[in-house]
Amino acid sequence: MTGFDDDPFPDPDAVLLDGGTFRLYSNRIEEDRGLFLRSTDVTYYSDVTSAQLSGRLLTVSRNGTRRVVVLQFRRKEQARIALHIINLCKQ
């Protein structure tokens, strides 16, 4: 037994959803920032206070200095999948 039998996403470095400029993992959201000086903002699901879906936009509210993360998807179905991943992994 590995201890991950009940965990649907045992590898925290496996990308669950790639949105181009952002990626959803089993424990965090990573966003690419900047045009020339690239940096990555990380939002852990434990910091998420709420997530609201509106069409192709997913607005994630969180604790900390940068309070809102807005993720834009190409299709509504991708946004629904992302919300499901956040809700599932936040537990």
Side-chain angles (χ1 to χ4, degrees), residues 23-70:
R23 290 155 306 284
L24 274 70
Y25 295 87
S26 63
N27 63 345
R28 67 189 182 278
I29 301 169
E30 289 185 356
E31 294 179 273
D32 297 332
R33 293 283 175 184
L35 295 174
F36 300 108
L37 297 173
R38 303 295 279 178
S39 65
T40 302
D41 287 340
V42 178
T43 301
Y44 289 95
Y45 296 137
S46 59
D47 294 335
V48 172
T49 57
S50 69
Q52 185 176 12
L53 184 63
S54 176
R56 298 181 309 147
L57 293 178
L58 179 62
T59 305
V60 179
S61 300
R62 69 178 196 172
N63 297 329
T65 56
R66 190 169 154 247
R67 297 212 176 262
V68 176
V69 176
V70 179

